[in-house]
Amino acid sequence: MDEPKSAGRVIGAGPERPAGRRRRLGEWLVSLRFVSQEQLEAAVHSRKGESGAGTSTAGAPHADDMRLGERLVKQGVLTEEQLAQALAQQARLAYQPLDQHRFNPADYQWIPVELMYRYPFVPYEASEGSVTIVVSDPTNVQALDELELLLKRQVRLMVSTRTAILDVLKRSESTTQVLKKVGADMGTVLIKEDEAGDEILSVEKITKDTSPVIRLVDSMLLNALQRRASDIHVEATDRSVMVKYRIDGVLYPAMAPLDVQLLPALISRIKVMSDLDIAEKRVPQDGRFKLRLDGRKIDFRVSILPSIFGEDVVIRILDKEYITAGVNELRLDRLGFNPEDLRRFRRAIVEPYGMVLVTGPTGSGKTTTLYAAISEINNKEDKLITIEDPVEYQLDGVVQIPVNEKKGLTFARGLRSILRHDPDKIMVGEIRDAETAQIAIQSALTGHLVFTTVHANNAFDVIGRFVNMGIEPYNFVSSLNCILAQRLVRAICLSCREPATIDPVHCDEAGLTPVMLKTATLFQGRGCHACNGTGFQGRRAITEFLHLSDTVRELILARRPSSELRKQAIAEGMTTLRQAGVEKVLRGETTLREINRVTFIEPL
């Protein structure tokens, strides 16, 4: 490079300038081949047109360099990482991607967390008289000088992207003390609803003199969102209160156990937020509340249950706007289906009429699968209507109806009304009773394509569920296109994946043969910042697709046992849940222990 870079520069001393004019950011971008000269000139001219300024790039102040870089990133010409690398070259500083950076919790003792968010920056290395920090804008000398005064140490600089810095800050907040500080500074906004469903904004700003219990609850909610938790569990014991997060289907401790004396105040705060009776402690209560955070609204469903040591709370998190941002791009091939099941399922969802039924326990991803299917077939030419409890995702071009049993809007009643709205395709969130089942089957028989779910352990148990509801097998079989049973298994974190050695005895117990192990390498996650030390990041679906061939239909109508149905389906090429899980283990996508957690061991 034309100018050497150092590992860090003392900001108070000022840089050593090379002889002649200092190169501007645009020149660095071109010399590094991040942008072409034509792209640079177009960005400069568009900036002049907006501001009316006539200064050239060479004569602009250094703040203009940053604005130019941000403009190129916004236009998609430049990546955030390339901008950070060019800024580092320009300032003769080291570029630090921070992907493997481990935050030192001791830094929280002397650096206020609100300071890290305000600038933002991450402490990289600290000694008694100096500290190396990672910033995204090394051109903002005034802010960096102010930061050096606040830290009261000599400051050296490195450069990274703003996104990487904020990600490190988010995944490093682990202690209760830090959670309280972040919760206080972020300032959540509580949104209440009246009976008509209109939103009434009630601002409860969290400041430093607010009640510690309010700060604790808000910080607990904030950290759960940052760690991608789906549920928060508050459990009372005889001596303490345990707070846990469910992340990727598994519970993890959220913080150190709390004093049991905090439990009444903690429960009361959650009840107040959910408009529940704070005086009632002997019967279960269900409620809900919303929070506005970082410009988006998040729903929380609250269930309170009395136990022998006090009341236990489970809070379900429905971050609709965050989820919806990816739902419109959601496709079935991203969920983890094996190629054959994916091909068969895609063929079933484009049939002109019939019922597509997805089954599995609570939290097995049934709704996500149905929405991925609807996203793929939504051609804007058909009328799509859904009825759900609750509406978890929001899709463009789809009429979505939430169940409200208190007002009398049940699945059955809503489904009857839907049929009068001339739909082409219908999604029923769940079949819970015989009445809903009858209407759904009649809809499928009269020219509608119906997507629905039912709780069952596998594809064959679904048939028994419907028969026990009093549904005639002939109607059920005539309407059904397919049954898809599924589970979710945690995927090994790609950032810390490493080969694993498994005891041969365990492999034999799990049904893995020596031939399988000879041709495949098993993996595990070591645990890193990217996965919060769990070794897993995200979940993938394993599926069992039952195609209703003529032979299978005849066996159902003859009321043959499920073992006979299963044998016939496997003979026709069905992959069982266990087989799908083992395939993912052999491909290095998940672990043997993980598939043992969600499926029964069976001979392969």
Side-chain angles (χ1 to χ4, degrees):
M1 293 298 171
D2 296 329
E3 297 179 19
K5 64 180 179 180
S6 60
R9 175 175 64 79
V10 182
I11 66 172
E16 293 181 10
R17 296 183 181 274
R21 180 181 62 84
R22 179 171 179 167
R23 298 174 69 187
R24 302 308 310 277
L25 178 65
E27 295 174 279
W28 275 110
L29 292 173
V30 173
S31 67
L32 292 170
R33 297 183 180 179
F34 290 159
V35 300
S36 66
Q37 186 66 39
E38 292 76 15
Q39 290 171 325
L40 176 64
E41 290 175 359
V44 171
H45 289 318
S46 64
R47 184 184 65 188
K48 289 179 183 177
E50 289 182 7
S51 63
T55 56
S56 65
T57 309
H62 294 306
D64 279 358
D65 276 356
M66 192 64 187
R67 285 195 289 270
L68 174 65
E70 290 171 349
R71 176 181 293 276
L72 288 166
V73 171
K74 188 175 181 180
Q75 292 174 349
V77 175
L78 189 70
T79 68
E80 198 178 1
E81 291 77 13
Q82 289 173 332
L83 173 60
Q85 291 170 20
L87 287 169
Q89 291 283 354
Q90 183 191 33
R92 303 195 302 124
L93 299 172
Y95 170 72
Q96 173 53 248
L98 292 176
D99 50 356
Q100 299 295 325
H101 178 57
R102 292 182 177 273
F103 197 100
N104 184 4
D107 290 336
Y108 278 125
Q109 303 299 321
W110 64 280
I111 305 178
V113 69
E114 59 267 23
L115 209 59
M116 301 185 205
Y117 271 98
R118 189 189 305 164
Y119 282 95
F121 74 93
V122 170
Y124 190 79
E125 213 170 38
S127 61
E128 188 173 338
S130 67
V131 59
T132 300
I133 65 173
V134 184
V135 298
S136 61
D137 182 9
T139 66
N140 192 348
V141 178
Q142 182 178 351
L144 295 173
D145 285 339
E146 179 187 347
L147 188 59
E148 188 172 42
L149 291 174
L150 293 171
L151 294 178
K152 298 178 181 177
R153 295 194 188 192
Q154 191 179 64
V155 174
R156 297 180 182 274
L157 299 180
M158 300 175 81
V159 182
S160 188
T161 66
R162 181 182 178 87
T163 299
I165 291 169
L166 292 177
D167 283 346
V168 170
L169 289 175
K170 287 178 182 179
R171 67 177 183 244
S172 302
E173 295 152 6
S174 57
T175 65
T176 305
Q177 180 181 2
V178 173
L179 287 177
K180 291 179 181 178
K181 289 181 180 179
V182 174
D185 295 324
M186 293 295 284
T188 54
V189 181
L190 184 64
I191 302 173
K192 296 184 179 180
E193 290 186 353
D194 63 9
E195 292 185 359
D198 297 322
E199 293 181 353
I200 302 174
L201 299 183
S202 174
V203 180
E204 294 181 1
K205 291 189 175 179
I206 312 304
T207 58
K208 291 184 178 180
D209 58 351
T210 308
S211 162
V213 173
I214 295 178
R215 295 217 309 265
L216 175 61
V217 172
D218 285 344
S219 302
M220 186 172 67
L221 297 174
L222 175 67
N223 191 246
L225 289 166
Q226 292 171 341
R227 294 178 63 180
R228 301 177 296 105
S230 61
D231 301 85
I232 303 171
H233 291 242
V234 180
E235 301 173 355
T237 66
D238 57 340
R239 296 182 180 179
S240 63
V241 178
M242 304 295 296
V243 179
K244 302 175 183 177
Y245 295 154
R246 186 176 294 279
I247 304 171
D248 291 335
V250 178
L251 286 174
Y252 296 97
M255 58 185 71
L258 303 174
D259 193 319
V260 72
Q261 294 181 357
L262 283 173
L263 181 64
L266 191 63
I267 300 297
S268 294
R269 170 60 182 165
I270 295 172
K271 285 181 177 179
V272 168
M273 295 174 73
S274 311
D275 287 330
L276 298 178
D277 186 356
I278 62 174
E280 182 57 72
K281 300 180 180 179
R282 295 166 295 179
V283 298
Q285 295 190 68
D286 294 319
R288 55 184 290 181
F289 63 91
K290 291 184 180 181
L291 287 177
R292 190 190 303 278
L293 179 64
D294 291 341
R296 70 181 193 267
K297 290 184 293 186
I298 302 128
D299 281 342
F300 297 85
R301 304 298 170 97
V302 178
S303 177
I304 299 180
L305 199 66
S307 69
I308 58 174
F309 298 117
E311 292 177 288
D312 283 11
V313 180
V314 174
I315 304 174
R316 167 65 59 89
I317 301 172
L318 296 174
D319 193 352
K320 295 180 185 178
E321 295 184 23
Y322 173 77
I323 296 171
T324 303
V327 167
N328 290 318
E329 298 298 324
L330 186 61
R331 293 293 181 269
L332 291 168
D333 52 11
R334 301 182 183 180
L335 302 183
F337 289 17
N338 68 61
E340 181 60 21
D341 283 358
L342 177 62
R343 184 185 66 81
R344 291 182 172 187
F345 189 62
R346 276 180 164 161
R347 189 170 60 187
I349 65 176
V350 296
E351 297 289 350
Y353 57 85
M355 182 184 292
V356 175
L357 201 152
V358 180
T359 186
T362 301
S364 60
K366 301 186 296 294
T367 303
T368 302
T369 296
L370 287 184
Y371 267 97
I374 288 175
S375 295
E376 287 200 3
I377 65 171
N378 187 6
N379 55 14
K380 309 298 183 182
E381 297 177 355
D382 295 328
K383 178 85 168 183
L384 277 72
I385 305 180
T386 74
I387 179 165
E388 308 161 65
D389 184 22
V391 176
E392 295 187 17
Y393 304 156
Q394 297 169 0
L395 284 180
D396 293 334
V398 179
V399 179
Q400 297 173 272
I401 304 169
V403 165
N404 190 339
E405 294 190 359
K406 291 181 179 179
K407 302 293 184 180
L409 179 56
T410 62
F411 276 113
R413 186 173 180 180
L415 189 51
R416 283 198 192 93
S417 298
I418 286 172
L419 293 174
R420 292 193 287 270
H421 271 249
D422 188 30
D424 296 290
K425 297 175 176 65
I426 303 168
M427 177 183 142
V428 182
E430 183 184 345
I431 290 180
R432 299 174 179 172
D433 52 57
E435 186 180 9
T436 306
Q438 289 282 11
I439 300 170
I441 289 171
Q442 289 301 317
S443 303
L445 291 173
T446 54
H448 302 92
L449 185 61
V450 179
F451 297 87
T452 189
T453 72
V454 68
H455 286 282
N457 289 324
N458 55 56
F460 305 98
D461 287 350
V462 172
I463 300 165
R465 286 290 307 275
F466 275 83
V467 170
N468 289 336
M469 287 182 189
I471 305 299
E472 283 296 325
Y474 177 79
N475 289 336
F476 175 61
V477 169
S478 300
S479 66
L480 199 59
N481 289 353
C482 69
I483 301 175
L484 180 77
Q486 74 175 58
R487 298 288 190 278
L488 292 178
V489 294
R490 291 180 293 171
I492 297 173
C493 175
L494 296 178
S495 299
C496 60
R497 192 177 77 150
E498 61 183 13
T501 303
I502 309 296
D503 190 331
V505 176
H506 293 161
C507 291
D508 185 57
E509 291 174 350
L512 296 183
T513 64
V515 176
M516 293 177 180
L517 298 175
K518 189 176 293 185
T519 58
T521 302
L522 304 187
F523 288 89
Q524 65 184 8
R526 183 179 63 255
C528 63
H529 271 309
C531 58
N532 291 316
T534 64
F536 297 96
Q537 191 171 39
R539 290 187 287 179
R540 307 286 282 169
I542 56 173
T543 55
E544 178 179 88
F545 184 89
L546 176 60
H547 172 65
L548 271 75
S549 64
D550 291 340
T551 306
V552 171
R553 291 177 191 273
E554 289 170 4
L555 291 174
I556 296 173
L557 291 174
R559 297 180 184 266
R560 305 302 300 170
S562 59
S563 58
E564 195 170 330
L565 289 173
R566 181 184 180 85
K567 184 177 179 181
Q568 177 61 32
I570 292 174
E572 294 179 1
M574 184 188 81
T575 301
T576 66
L577 286 170
R578 182 68 183 185
Q579 288 170 339
V582 169
E583 286 177 7
K584 276 187 163 40
V585 171
L586 298 178
R587 288 199 299 265
E589 296 179 20
T590 190
T591 65
L592 189 59
R593 180 180 178 185
E594 186 65 11
I595 66 164
N596 287 342
R597 184 176 66 86
V598 299
T599 63
F600 285 107
I601 297 173
E602 61 186 28
L604 299 173

